[in-house]
Amino acid sequence: MTHMVSDQSRKIVKKSYDDIEKAEFIRIGNQFADDFLFQNNKATDIPINALRIIFNIISILRNDQFMPEKQVRQLTLFDEEFETENNVFISMKIRNRKISEKRSSKQIVEAYEYLTKFRMGWYTSKNIAGKDIKTFGGLISLPTYEERGYTSFLISSFWLKKLIVLTEYNHVMYELVYKIRNNKHVLFAIWLSKIPENGTTLKLSTFNQKFNLNYKNSNDFCIKFLKPIRLNLNKLNHLSFNYKYQHDAISIIPYLNKNIEEGLLTEKANDVRLINRRIRYFKQRYYLENIDLTRFLYSYSNILKIRLQIEEAYKRFIKENRSRGKTSTNIKGIYFLQKLQEFLIEVYRESETGKRFPDAYPVII
């Protein structure tokens, strides 16, 4: 149902979203990150409470997010609903305690005011038919206290599209904006999720400019800025990083946190990009390029239960090598897959199904 909001710019509200249970991980579109969080390749100095609003918006929208190349119909439906008229919005409400634990009116008001005023203006996007659709506002518009304990606001179709149409995206842990108080540290974690798997090297001056810092030398930057972030991400995020420097050149090398819990694997189980990243990891680390991987690839890519069992088998493989003082990469190629198969059988037979049908274990070689 379409509702009219009476104000000077005639906002048309097409859909309403209520606050829902938080997600463990949120998907942040790269286009939104580039256009809003890292405008002109420089991190926006967004207050931490405003970042909490953004994280909650994305969490609430998660069930409507989609990848256009795989869900063409969804893109058409979005266009029909939100990109046929100018000044189309959705409405949303968020619990105040999710923005300020103490429910400080001052903190809440300041956070919403920031997102209302930041980048406020007219925005134009083209719909599928090539028609220009115009909307006015910042990321949010007209924040109001309509219900005790909540704040309601509007989001324009322009920013909504960047939030839910995910041409490229990365996972970020929802709790980061609660566990980490420093907004620059959270923005660094978002930036880290976007860099290449093999890392990147930037000059100290570039890092200073990107994150609005003023470190005089690389050692101070690494010890005072990077080290605390790394410690937090090791505990809180699926992605952390190593760093090194030579003169004013600082290298950041991301890695998947070894303390990933099964909940994360489940949350990201159908993320094709991350599945492919993991497969590349196995191929490169254990020299599997010339091995017949048909069964392994099919099972890992398509069957969640087996994928989780393979990951558990791999943990046991690593643990066994460490207990013997050996490096796991000494076992390569088909020999790696054979050892992984042994542990996979072990993991399977400990499951309820395995106890009933001990010989029906997955075969990956």
Side-chain angles (χ1 to χ4, degrees):
M1 180 179 179
T2 300
H3 306 280
M4 296 300 299
V5 175
S6 179
D7 75 346
Q8 293 179 348
S9 52
R10 183 183 174 271
K11 291 177 170 57
I12 303 170
V13 180
K14 286 291 185 76
K15 193 171 183 178
S16 297
Y17 288 85
D18 290 334
D19 200 355
I20 59 176
E21 287 299 312
K22 67 182 181 181
E24 189 173 1
F25 295 86
I26 61 172
R27 297 185 293 177
I28 299 181
N30 285 358
Q31 190 172 17
F32 174 75
D34 291 341
D35 291 350
F36 195 86
L37 301 176
F38 290 88
Q39 191 179 10
N40 299 322
N41 207 29
K42 181 178 179 181
T44 307
D45 194 19
I46 301 178
I48 192 66
N49 289 329
L51 280 170
R52 289 177 178 177
I53 294 172
I54 292 172
F55 272 46
N56 278 283
I57 289 172
I58 296 172
S59 176
I60 292 169
L61 292 172
R62 65 184 181 271
N63 294 326
D64 284 353
Q65 289 180 312
F66 65 92
M67 299 189 73
E69 68 272 21
K70 294 182 180 179
Q71 296 162 287
V72 179
R73 178 59 180 159
Q74 288 293 106
L75 185 60
T76 302
L77 291 173
F78 178 89
D79 184 81
E80 291 173 351
E81 186 170 13
F82 295 106
E83 295 206 300
T84 56
E85 302 174 85
N86 295 328
N87 269 329
V88 171
F89 291 74
I90 64 164
S91 67
M92 183 177 289
K93 64 180 181 180
I94 297 176
R95 290 180 183 274
N96 292 331
R97 61 179 170 80
K98 288 187 175 181
I99 311 308
S100 171
E101 293 100 325
K102 297 179 180 179
R103 304 182 192 183
S104 164
S105 296
K106 182 175 183 294
Q107 291 180 354
I108 294 167
V109 167
E110 288 177 349
Y112 279 106
E113 281 187 354
Y114 179 92
L115 292 180
T116 301
K117 296 174 182 177
F118 180 65
R119 297 202 62 188
M120 178 187 285
W122 280 100
Y123 293 94
T124 303
S125 63
K126 286 188 181 294
N127 63 13
I128 294 175
K131 178 183 176 181
D132 285 345
I133 302 298
K134 298 180 180 180
T135 54
F136 180 81
L139 175 63
I140 68 171
S141 301
L142 299 179
T144 57
Y145 291 103
E146 292 184 354
E147 181 180 343
R148 185 174 177 83
Y150 291 84
T151 298
S152 302
F153 52 90
L154 304 181
I155 300 176
S156 73
S157 60
F158 177 86
W159 288 111
L160 178 65
K161 189 171 187 178
K162 292 181 184 294
L163 291 167
I164 71 172
V165 182
L166 304 177
T167 305
E168 293 181 341
Y169 67 90
N170 290 285
H171 284 88
V172 177
M173 186 174 178
Y174 171 89
E175 289 289 339
L176 284 183
V177 286
Y178 297 96
K179 302 295 186 182
I180 300 176
R181 301 283 181 173
N182 190 315
N183 62 340
K184 287 184 172 63
H185 291 193
V186 175
L187 290 168
F188 183 92
I190 295 170
W191 172 80
L192 179 68
S193 71
K194 294 169 75 272
I195 69 173
E197 294 173 30
N198 60 350
T200 189
T201 300
L202 301 175
K203 291 184 176 180
L204 173 63
S205 57
T206 303
F207 274 118
N208 275 335
Q209 183 179 23
K210 180 179 289 294
F211 292 100
N212 194 26
L213 304 169
N214 191 32
Y215 287 100
K216 302 299 183 184
N217 59 69
S218 298
N219 183 68
D220 282 354
F221 173 76
C222 290
I223 298 301
K224 297 178 182 179
F225 185 70
L226 293 182
K227 186 177 180 180
I229 298 175
R230 183 175 182 271
L231 290 173
N232 275 324
L233 296 187
N234 280 342
K235 292 184 294 183
L236 299 170
N237 203 30
H238 69 287
L239 191 67
S240 190
F241 64 100
N242 287 316
Y243 57 86
K244 60 183 179 180
Y245 69 89
Q246 186 171 12
H247 304 301
D248 69 339
I250 301 163
S251 298
I252 305 293
I253 307 95
Y255 62 79
L256 289 173
N257 195 338
K258 293 179 181 178
N259 296 321
I260 297 175
E261 297 178 353
E262 187 171 301
L264 171 57
L265 289 170
T266 303
E267 177 78 23
K268 297 160 56 173
N270 295 315
D271 186 332
V272 175
R273 292 170 60 255
L274 291 169
I275 290 172
N276 290 338
R277 176 187 288 179
R278 192 65 168 154
I279 288 171
R280 283 197 300 273
Y281 170 82
F282 287 126
K283 283 182 178 180
Q284 294 169 5
R285 189 167 179 82
Y286 297 101
Y287 297 88
L288 303 179
E289 294 296 341
N290 298 318
I291 305 297
D292 182 2
L293 297 175
T294 305
R295 288 180 172 177
F296 174 78
L297 293 179
Y298 179 82
S299 296
Y300 194 90
S301 300
N302 297 290
I303 307 172
L304 170 60
K305 191 171 184 178
I306 296 179
R307 179 155 64 250
L308 296 176
Q309 290 175 340
I310 290 173
E311 288 291 345
E312 177 59 31
Y314 181 63
K315 287 180 184 178
R316 297 186 185 191
F317 168 73
I318 295 294
K319 185 176 180 180
E320 181 189 73
N321 281 283
R322 286 178 178 167
S323 68
R324 296 181 178 181
K326 295 182 179 180
T327 304
S328 68
T329 48
N330 287 338
I331 303 174
K332 302 173 183 176
I334 191 65
Y335 302 106
F336 166 72
L337 288 181
Q338 288 172 347
K339 289 297 294 183
L340 196 62
Q341 178 70 70
E342 290 177 16
F343 284 109
L344 182 58
I345 294 171
E346 179 183 290
V347 171
Y348 168 80
R349 286 179 173 168
E350 291 174 3
S351 69
E352 290 302 315
T353 304
K355 290 173 183 176
R356 286 183 291 153
F357 308 102
D359 295 325
Y361 50 80
V363 177
I364 59 173
I365 55 176

